[in-house]
Amino acid sequence: MTDRYILYSAVGSGGVAVEAALTLMGQPYALVEAPTFAFDAPEAGDRVLAANPLRQVPALVLPSGEVMTESAAILVRLGELHPEAGLAPRLDDPRRAAFLRWMSFVSSAIYAHYWLKDDPSRLVADASLWADVDRRIEARILECWAVMEAGAAPVGRYILGEALTVLDLYVAVVSRFRPRRQAFAAVAPRLGEVARRVDTEPRLAALWAERYPFEPGWDVRPLLT
Ligand SMILES: N[C@@H](CCC(=O)N[C@@H](CS)C(=O)NCC(=O)O)C(=O)O
């Protein structure tokens, strides 16, 4: 038992969505920086192995000592554990089905692609094919965002209506991954507006600045090498 959460995360990673959720929930947490995708310095990323044998962030150690991996599950569970923050529809809320559907969709249809996108050599040995693999993954990611735009049909200030939820935090962070926000907003303009709203959430200004800064060109698709 501890008095706080322990979060394994990294600057510019999906773990920042969990950091944002804990911040809005007013929950203190100890941060273990584990940049799993810094291929030049593997030792730092190895820190997360203490909590996740897949060597991925985020991983959250609950005050009970139980470990949770999987960003969507972590965010949903935090919403359940801290209902007073109002960041997730409760079990009997009519928005609950859509909430679970799209949390899971972002995780499985979109976020999961980055295991290969970040390092195509994991499945494709021929280096001359990596740029093509990358392009095809990007096309699939954008196709999935377009499906979510049509299916989730955000109509209010946020995806599920007028209240910010962890789904908005999740989309705001994952849509920052390559091909980045401009390409995302081109296929999913209403989700793009929601993401911009989350970017400007005053309670998260310090967190974004420190953990996922809006540096020049941050939203532009990088050139393929
Ligand atoms: N299914 C996992 C995916 C997490 C994930 O891919 N995290 C990235 C950082 S954004 C990572 O640690 N990548 C290193 C790797 O996959 O080797 C989740 O949703 O939490």
Side-chain angles (χ1 to χ4, degrees), residues 8 32-36 38 41-52 55:
Y8 293 81
V32 181
E33 185 68 10
T36 46
E43 318 75 37
D46 287 348
R47 289 182 194 135
V48 75
L49 287 170
N52 187 357
R55 199 179 175 280

Side-chain angles (χ1 to χ4, degrees), residues 50-66:
N52 187 357
L54 277 190
R55 199 179 175 280
Q56 291 183 328
V57 290
L60 184 70
V61 186
L62 305 178
S64 65
E66 185 177 355

Side-chain angles (χ1 to χ4, degrees), residues 93-106:
D93 188 310
R95 298 170 305 157
R96 182 81 181 174
F99 170 66
L100 293 176
R101 175 184 178 189
W102 296 114
M103 286 298 297
S104 192
F105 184 88
V106 172

Side-chain angles (χ1 to χ4, degrees), residues 1-4 6 62-66:
M1 291 287 287
T2 62
D3 65 343
R4 60 185 54 211
I6 300 168
L62 305 178
S64 65
E66 185 177 355

Side-chain angles (χ1 to χ4, degrees), residues 106-131:
V106 172
S107 169
S108 60
I110 297 172
Y111 196 173
H113 281 300
Y114 290 88
W115 180 77
L116 184 58
K117 186 163 169 46
D118 285 347
D119 184 0
S121 73
R122 284 171 162 163
L123 291 186
V124 179
D126 183 347
S128 70
L129 300 175
W130 292 347

Side-chain angles (χ1 to χ4, degrees), residues 74-182:
I74 291 170
L75 290 166
V76 169
R77 186 63 182 140
L78 286 174
E80 292 169 350
L81 289 169
H82 304 290
E84 67 291 344
L87 285 170
R90 297 183 189 219
L91 292 184
D92 58 351
D93 188 310
R95 298 170 305 157
R96 182 81 181 174
F99 170 66
L100 293 176
R101 175 184 178 189
W102 296 114
M103 286 298 297
S104 192
F105 184 88
V106 172
S107 169
S108 60
I110 297 172
Y111 196 173
H113 281 300
Y114 290 88
W115 180 77
L116 184 58
K117 186 163 169 46
D118 285 347
D119 184 0
S121 73
R122 284 171 162 163
L123 291 186
V124 179
D126 183 347
S128 70
L129 300 175
W130 292 347
D132 189 47
V133 170
D134 194 66
R135 257 188 296 273
R136 286 166 188 262
I137 295 174
E138 276 196 11
R140 175 63 176 171
I141 287 170
L142 292 174
E143 181 187 355
C144 291
W145 283 127
V147 165
M148 182 166 175
E149 170 87 359
V155 286
R157 287 174 55 74
Y158 297 101
I159 298 170
L160 299 176
E162 293 309 314
L164 172 74
T165 69
V166 292
L167 177 60
D168 303 298
L169 301 177
Y170 201 27
V171 168
V173 169
V174 175
S175 65
R176 293 190 59 164
F177 300 167
R178 292 166 300 129
R180 304 214 176 124
R181 275 288 186 74
Q182 287 188 7

